[in-house]
Structure formats: C-alpha cells, structure tokens
Amino acid sequence: MKESANLNEVSILVDGQVYKGWKSARIECGIEQISRAFALSVTDDFPGNESFRRLRPGQEVQLFIGNDVVCTGYITSTPIRYDAKSVSVQVQGKSKTVDLVDCCSPWAAIAPSGKAAGQKSDSWQDVKGVKETVKPVQPAKTVNKSWHNQTAKQIIADLCAPYDIKVVCEVKDLNAKLVNFTVNPGEKVFESINRLLTKENLIVTDNAYGDLVITEPGFAGKCTDFLEVGKNILSGSANFDFSQRYSKYVVLGQHKGSDLEFGKKVCQDQGISEDRGVPRHRLFVLKDTGQSSNAIASNRAEFENNLRRAKCKISSHRAQGWRQLSGDLWRMNSEVVIEDNILMMKESQLVYKVTYSLDSSGSFTDIESLPKDGYSRKGYSNKTATNGKKDSLKDSWKDVK
C-alpha cells in the first residue's frame, strides 16, 4: 500500500511504480454497474512524458485517492493524442469484475487450463486487499456445468473463480437451495449471475478491491454530511421522468408439478402489484424464468413496481471535493440526507452512483440518489397511497373540455 501526504491526490500503482500528476480524472462507481471505471489524462509539452507512455492495456492497476483504494483492476486502453505543441496521454481502466461482464463462463465449454477451479493465481499477491469484515465465499475445487442443491452464493463463487475474482456476500439470508442450475453455452458470466439472483432482488456490484459484492441497499452506512442547497451543493438536477412507470405490474411464471399440484396450479403462477400513483391504465407484463410460484411472482411484481417508482425520482447533486468533513470519501450504496428546496426534497436518499471528477476547475463529486426504498426487498412504503391519494398526478380528465 502506497502512502500519500495529499488526501486528494489521484495516483495509480502499476508494476510497483506510482504514476501521479494527472491533470484530469473521472472515476465512476454505481450500484447498478458491476465494474467501476476510470479515465485519467495528462498533457505535457512535446515530446511528452515517456514514463506515462510506458503504460499498456492489460496491466494490473490499483487507483488511489490519497491513501484510499478506489479501484483494483486492469488498464483497458491508453489513447494518445498529439499536435505540434503537446502530447495528451490518457489511461482508462476498469475493475477486475469487467471480465464477468465481457467473458463467458468456461464451465459451459472448457475447464480452466493450468489450474483447478477456484485456485487463485499469484499475479495479485503484492496488491493490498480489503480488511475482510465479511468472509469471501470459497469456490468449489471441481469443475461443474450444473449444480444441484447448492446455494446461489456458492454457485456464483464457482462462476467467478476462473477469473480470480472473490465473491463477498453481505446478505445474511441468501441460503436458499437451488434444485438445478446450468450455465447456458455462450452465456456471459454476469448473465448467469443475473439469472441466479433475479428472484432474490439483490444488488450485485463491485468494491474497491475488484471483488464481486452481493449486497443490500444502504449497506455502506450513513453519510456524516448532509447535502444542502446553499451550503455544499453546487448544482442539482432531476428529470422526474414517469415514462417507465405503470399502473399495474403482472409477473407470470410456472413451476414443476407434483402428485398434489398439477395442471393450472403449476402453469399459471401470477403476481400483481399496483401503483396508485399512476392514474391511467398502463400495464406491464413480465415473464418469470425458471421455477416460480405465486409468492415469487408477487415479490417480483412488487420489486419492479418499487424500483420504477424510485427511479423516476433520481436526482443528481454536485458537491465540491471528494470527501465529507469527516475525511471519508462520498460512497455509493450509502444513505445521505438531502435538503433541496428547489427540487422539493428533504429526506434520506440512497446513493445510487458517485462520480469523482478532476479538471482545471477543481475536484467535484457528482452524487446520484433515489428513494432508499427503491431496492427494498420488503416493499416500497408509500405514505401518500395509504390514505387513497394519488401522488403528484391528476386524478382524472374531469376538468378537460
């Protein structure tokens, strides 16, 4: 681990060498992006800085803000631009988990060559990792194409093992046994993971050390600072886009029959959730895959309703600098209290995405947030709906001639 006297200095560690002095930076982390990304650039007088141009795509990299690790992964590209006066060198990279997004699972085609499943390579042995508060899930030591009676987190650990990615499960109740799961040929690893966790309505993201994290909303805790207009909010915006919101959500599914259940009982599973904040009829139908039930279908419909209600209220606020008064970085999946009289907000929100940026104007953090119940697995609490009122939309066309 490198040490930096400047808490806000951006640097990267590649092959034991530290590169810093970047003139611009952009680092993105979000709870709906499994792989965080960054882009750093520096401009020097011609013929440029040779040390920066030694960086190559595919190299392992750790990015720091001060002494805080923000991203662990790989350099993905190193574009260079130049003219008669200067050379601009940029380094772009992504978290280790990018391989789960881009690559297919070898389980469906070939066994990993040169090592057993779950056996880690030593290429990251000198890279510092997180102080483990949650023990990573240990992958199996044998190759599997299909799993029987295994937990979802165990299967995910097996899927990630060939790419040297640890799985950290922060959800205590993810212990349901699966009757059967098979990787589809040509399926990307993250697609397999999505199929596994669809019915659990969980957040799957990464952390600063390149691990895959299965978590729940707000797990990162509460921000020590408020975001408040006139104090630390430089700018704000919200689209209030209701175009993806529906009055009724219907999830259809089916499950395996038995001597006691057969016919319509197994092929017509259905779950319905209504959004009384949408006054006109707008129907959304979703087909549930795999083994379903009326309860599973109902949970899926409720979750879809909750998430779309929350996403129509996503807001973005820009704060000066990257740290709170406590010295902690602004972090995704934390809760922050926002007081914004312009957007008519005074509530605790879930930090949905953070973007750290640096340019000639200074350093800023763009914080995107939404109602914290949007990802709740226990249902969205709508106080205005409990008394029969519809939120912020007209009740009817009665006044239209």
Side-chain angles (χ1 to χ4, degrees), residues 14-49:
V14 181
D15 292 337
Q17 184 172 346
V18 177
Y19 297 83
K20 53 187 178 181
W22 305 100
K23 302 302 181 183
S24 67
R26 183 176 178 85
I27 308 157
E28 295 183 352
C29 315
I31 60 177
E32 281 200 350
Q33 61 185 72
I34 189 177
S35 178
R36 59 189 65 197
F38 66 84
L40 313 174
S41 63
V42 60
T43 303
D44 293 321
D45 293 334
F46 193 84
N49 190 317

Coordinates of all heavy atoms in Angstrom, one line a residue, residues 14-49:
V14 N 1.1 0.6 -10.8 CA 1.3 -0.4 -11.8 C 2.7 -1.0 -11.8 O 3.7 -0.2 -11.8 CB 1.0 0.3 -13.2 CG1 1.2 -0.8 -14.3 CG2 -0.3 1.0 -13.3
D15 N 2.8 -2.3 -11.6 CA 4.1 -3.0 -11.6 C 5.0 -2.4 -10.5 O 6.2 -2.2 -10.8 CB 4.7 -3.0 -13.0 CG 4.0 -3.8 -14.0 OD1 3.2 -4.7 -13.5 OD2 4.1 -3.6 -15.2
G16 N 4.4 -2.0 -9.4 CA 5.2 -1.5 -8.3 C 5.6 0.0 -8.5 O 6.3 0.6 -7.6
Q17 N 5.2 0.7 -9.6 CA 5.6 2.1 -9.8 C 4.3 2.9 -9.7 O 3.3 2.6 -10.1 CB 6.2 2.3 -11.2 CG 6.6 3.7 -11.4 CD 7.4 3.8 -12.7 OE1 7.9 2.9 -13.3 NE2 7.6 5.1 -13.2
V18 N 4.5 4.1 -9.0 CA 3.4 5.0 -8.8 C 3.4 6.1 -9.9 O 4.4 6.7 -10.2 CB 3.5 5.7 -7.4 CG1 2.3 6.7 -7.2 CG2 3.4 4.6 -6.3
Y19 N 2.2 6.3 -10.5 CA 2.1 7.4 -11.5 C 1.1 8.4 -11.0 O 0.0 8.0 -10.6 CB 1.6 6.8 -12.8 CG 2.5 5.8 -13.5 CD1 2.5 4.4 -13.1 CD2 3.4 6.2 -14.5 CE1 3.4 3.5 -13.6 CE2 4.2 5.3 -15.1 CZ 4.2 3.9 -14.6 OH 5.1 3.0 -15.2
K20 N 1.5 9.6 -10.9 CA 0.6 10.7 -10.4 C 0.9 12.0 -11.2 O 1.6 12.0 -12.2 CB 0.8 10.9 -8.9 CG 2.3 11.2 -8.5 CD 2.4 11.2 -7.0 CE 3.9 11.5 -6.6 NZ 4.0 11.5 -5.1
G21 N 0.3 13.1 -10.8 CA 0.4 14.3 -11.5 C -0.6 14.4 -12.7 O -0.5 15.2 -13.6
W22 N -1.7 13.7 -12.5 CA -2.8 13.7 -13.6 C -3.5 15.1 -13.6 O -3.8 15.7 -12.6 CB -3.8 12.6 -13.3 CG -3.2 11.3 -13.2 CD1 -2.9 10.6 -12.1 CD2 -2.7 10.5 -14.3 NE1 -2.3 9.4 -12.4 CE2 -2.2 9.3 -13.8 CE3 -2.7 10.6 -15.7 CZ2 -1.6 8.3 -14.5 CZ3 -2.2 9.6 -16.5 CH2 -1.7 8.4 -15.9
K23 N -3.7 15.6 -14.8 CA -4.4 16.9 -15.0 C -5.9 16.8 -14.9 O -6.6 17.8 -14.6 CB -3.9 17.6 -16.3 CG -2.4 17.8 -16.3 CD -1.9 18.6 -15.2 CE -0.4 18.8 -15.3 NZ 0.2 19.5 -14.1
S24 N -6.4 15.6 -15.3 CA -7.9 15.4 -15.3 C -8.1 14.0 -14.9 O -7.3 13.1 -15.1 CB -8.5 15.8 -16.6 OG -8.2 14.9 -17.6
A25 N -9.3 13.8 -14.3 CA -9.7 12.4 -13.8 C -11.2 12.3 -13.8 O -11.9 13.3 -13.6 CB -9.1 12.1 -12.5
R26 N -11.6 11.1 -14.1 CA -13.1 10.8 -13.9 C -13.2 9.3 -13.5 O -12.6 8.4 -14.1 CB -13.8 11.0 -15.2 CG -15.3 10.7 -15.1 CD -16.0 11.0 -16.4 NE -17.5 10.8 -16.3 CZ -18.4 11.6 -15.9 NH1 -18.0 12.8 -15.5 NH2 -19.6 11.3 -15.8
I27 N -13.8 9.1 -12.3 CA -13.9 7.8 -11.7 C -15.4 7.5 -11.4 O -16.0 8.3 -10.7 CB -13.1 7.7 -10.4 CG1 -11.6 8.1 -10.7 CG2 -13.1 6.3 -9.9 CD1 -10.9 8.6 -9.4
E28 N -16.0 6.5 -11.9 CA -17.4 6.2 -11.8 C -17.6 4.9 -11.0 O -17.0 3.9 -11.3 CB -18.1 6.1 -13.1 CG -18.1 7.4 -13.9 CD -18.8 7.2 -15.2 OE1 -19.2 6.1 -15.6 OE2 -19.1 8.2 -15.9
C29 N -18.5 5.0 -10.0 CA -18.9 3.8 -9.2 C -20.4 3.8 -9.0 O -21.0 4.9 -8.7 CB -18.2 3.8 -7.8 SG -16.5 4.2 -7.8
G30 N -21.1 2.7 -9.3 CA -22.5 2.7 -9.1 C -23.0 1.3 -8.7 O -22.4 0.3 -9.0
I31 N -24.2 1.3 -8.0 CA -24.7 0.0 -7.5 C -25.3 -0.8 -8.7 O -25.6 -2.0 -8.4 CB -25.7 0.2 -6.4 CG1 -26.9 1.0 -6.8 CG2 -25.0 0.8 -5.2 CD1 -27.9 1.2 -5.7
E32 N -25.5 -0.2 -9.8 CA -26.0 -1.0 -11.0 C -25.0 -1.3 -12.0 O -25.3 -1.7 -13.1 CB -27.3 -0.3 -11.6 CG -28.5 -0.5 -10.7 CD -29.8 -0.3 -11.5 OE1 -29.7 0.2 -12.7 OE2 -30.9 -0.6 -11.0
Q33 N -23.7 -0.9 -11.8 CA -22.7 -1.3 -12.7 C -21.7 -2.2 -12.0 O -21.1 -1.8 -10.9 CB -22.0 0.0 -13.2 CG -21.3 0.9 -12.2 CD -20.7 2.1 -12.8 OE1 -21.5 3.1 -13.2 NE2 -19.4 2.2 -13.0
I34 N -21.6 -3.4 -12.5 CA -20.8 -4.4 -11.8 C -19.3 -4.1 -11.8 O -18.5 -4.6 -11.0 CB -21.1 -5.8 -12.4 CG1 -20.4 -6.9 -11.6 CG2 -20.6 -5.8 -13.9 CD1 -20.7 -8.3 -12.2
S35 N -18.9 -3.2 -12.8 CA -17.5 -2.9 -12.9 C -17.3 -1.4 -12.9 O -17.7 -0.7 -13.8 CB -16.9 -3.5 -14.2 OG -15.6 -3.1 -14.4
R36 N -16.6 -0.8 -11.9 CA -16.3 0.6 -11.8 C -15.3 0.9 -12.9 O -14.5 0.0 -13.3 CB -15.9 1.0 -10.4 CG -14.7 0.3 -9.9 CD -14.5 0.7 -8.4 NE -15.6 0.2 -7.6 CZ -15.9 0.6 -6.4 NH1 -15.1 1.5 -5.8 NH2 -16.9 0.1 -5.7
A37 N -15.2 2.2 -13.3 CA -14.3 2.6 -14.4 C -13.7 3.9 -14.1 O -14.2 4.7 -13.3 CB -15.1 2.7 -15.7
F38 N -12.5 4.1 -14.7 CA -11.8 5.4 -14.6 C -11.1 5.8 -15.9 O -10.8 5.0 -16.7 CB -10.8 5.4 -13.4 CG -9.6 4.4 -13.7 CD1 -8.5 4.8 -14.4 CD2 -9.7 3.1 -13.1 CE1 -7.4 4.0 -14.6 CE2 -8.6 2.3 -13.4 CZ -7.5 2.7 -14.1
A39 N -10.9 7.1 -16.0 CA -10.2 7.7 -17.1 C -9.3 8.8 -16.6 O -9.8 9.8 -16.0 CB -11.1 8.2 -18.2
L40 N -8.0 8.7 -16.7 CA -7.1 9.7 -16.3 C -6.3 10.3 -17.5 O -6.0 9.5 -18.4 CB -6.1 9.1 -15.3 CG -6.6 8.2 -14.1 CD1 -5.5 7.6 -13.4 CD2 -7.5 9.1 -13.2
S41 N -5.9 11.5 -17.4 CA -5.1 12.1 -18.5 C -4.1 13.1 -18.0 O -4.3 13.7 -17.0 CB -6.1 12.7 -19.6 OG -6.8 13.8 -19.1
V42 N -3.1 13.3 -18.8 CA -2.0 14.2 -18.5 C -1.5 14.8 -19.9 O -1.4 14.1 -20.9 CB -0.9 13.6 -17.7 CG1 -0.2 12.5 -18.5 CG2 0.2 14.7 -17.3
T43 N -1.3 16.1 -19.9 CA -0.8 16.7 -21.1 C 0.6 17.4 -20.8 O 0.7 18.1 -19.9 CB -1.8 17.8 -21.6 OG1 -3.0 17.2 -21.8 CG2 -1.3 18.4 -22.9
D44 N 1.6 17.0 -21.6 CA 2.9 17.6 -21.5 C 3.4 18.3 -22.7 O 2.8 18.0 -23.8 CB 3.9 16.4 -21.2 CG 3.6 15.8 -19.8 OD1 3.3 16.5 -18.9 OD2 3.7 14.5 -19.7
D45 N 4.3 19.1 -22.6 CA 4.9 19.7 -23.8 C 5.6 18.6 -24.6 O 6.1 17.7 -24.1 CB 6.0 20.8 -23.3 CG 5.4 21.9 -22.6 OD1 4.2 22.2 -22.9 OD2 6.0 22.6 -21.8
F46 N 5.5 18.8 -25.9 CA 6.1 17.9 -26.8 C 7.6 17.7 -26.5 O 8.3 18.6 -26.2 CB 5.9 18.4 -28.3 CG 6.2 17.4 -29.3 CD1 5.3 16.5 -29.8 CD2 7.5 17.4 -29.9 CE1 5.5 15.6 -30.8 CE2 7.8 16.5 -30.9 CZ 6.8 15.6 -31.3
P47 N 8.1 16.5 -26.5 CA 7.6 15.2 -27.0 C 6.8 14.4 -26.0 O 6.6 13.2 -26.2 CB 8.8 14.5 -27.5 CG 9.9 14.9 -26.5 CD 9.6 16.3 -26.1
G48 N 6.5 15.0 -24.8 CA 5.6 14.2 -23.9 C 6.5 13.6 -22.8 O 7.7 13.5 -22.8
N49 N 5.7 13.0 -21.8 CA 6.4 12.3 -20.7 C 6.5 10.8 -21.0 O 5.5 10.1 -21.1 CB 5.5 12.6 -19.5 CG 6.2 12.1 -18.2 OD1 6.8 11.0 -18.2 ND2 6.1 12.9 -17.1

